[in-house]
Amino acid sequence: GNLIGNTYIIGLGSHWRKLERESCRDIFLFNFLEQKQSREYRRNVYVKCQEYLALASCRNTCEDEMKGITLTETIHKVQMSAYEKELYLESQHGISKEYRILGIRPGDFDPQAGHDISRFLVQNAKLECRCNEL
């Protein structure tokens, strides 16, 4: 899937395990106690999200099933203002100032070293130049 402009390859192991852990009784009671319109809306959202996740992740697929799938990478360059550039670099929390660059990638963030990618993702989503491009 594509999340906030950064591409992630997801196996969804934790997502499927969470669904397996939840008991049918708990799910039924939670759904039953909501209003009918809310339940129908949430069910539709849930079904669409599950369809997207099933399509976006390559779970339990073998090499033969992956044949014919090609990666298409599209890069859009945007012009940041000086203020946006400063916010963008400051959002790279945990990375020393000399290593903060505009071309940083999510893989450059190491949580074990104290890098916090969440601030970076939130700031990336808020940039006006990026929103205008989207």
Side-chain angles (χ1 to χ4, degrees):
N2 193 321
L3 177 65
I4 309 179
N6 298 301
T7 304
Y8 294 92
I9 298 172
I10 51 178
L12 297 173
S14 61
H15 172 73
W16 300 117
R17 279 192 294 279
K18 178 181 175 282
L19 290 179
E20 291 165 359
R21 274 196 314 262
E22 290 181 343
S23 72
C24 291
R25 177 184 173 273
D26 290 344
I27 294 171
F28 172 77
L29 289 175
F30 182 74
N31 291 340
F32 182 73
L33 296 174
E34 285 189 289
Q35 296 175 1
K36 183 178 182 196
Q37 183 178 10
S38 175
R39 288 193 310 255
E40 289 175 359
Y41 173 77
R42 195 164 43 77
R43 183 183 84 48
N44 285 330
V45 169
Y46 180 82
V47 166
K48 294 297 181 190
C49 288
Q50 285 297 116
E51 288 174 2
Y52 174 80
L53 289 174
L55 182 65
S57 67
C58 298
R59 183 173 188 249
N60 296 333
T61 55
C62 65
E63 188 175 330
D64 293 336
E65 294 171 323
M66 298 297 286
K67 286 182 181 173
I69 298 176
T70 58
L71 170 66
T72 304
E73 187 174 345
T74 305
I75 297 174
H76 294 267
K77 295 185 179 184
V78 295
Q79 186 68 36
M80 289 184 189
S81 67
Y83 177 69
E84 287 177 322
K85 177 184 175 184
E86 187 64 33
L87 289 175
Y88 185 80
L89 293 174
E90 286 297 318
S91 70
Q92 298 171 15
H93 185 71
I95 295 180
S96 350
K97 292 202 183 269
E98 61 268 11
Y99 294 111
R100 293 180 183 182
I101 59 172
L102 294 176
I104 198 162
R105 297 180 176 271
D108 297 335
F109 288 85
D110 182 10
Q112 294 173 339
H115 303 163
D116 183 11
I117 194 169
S118 63
R119 293 182 187 184
F120 173 72
L121 295 176
V122 169
Q123 183 58 51
N124 192 21
K126 288 181 179 178
L127 290 175
E128 185 178 338
C129 63
R130 184 179 178 280
C131 292
N132 291 338
E133 180 68 23
L134 291 175

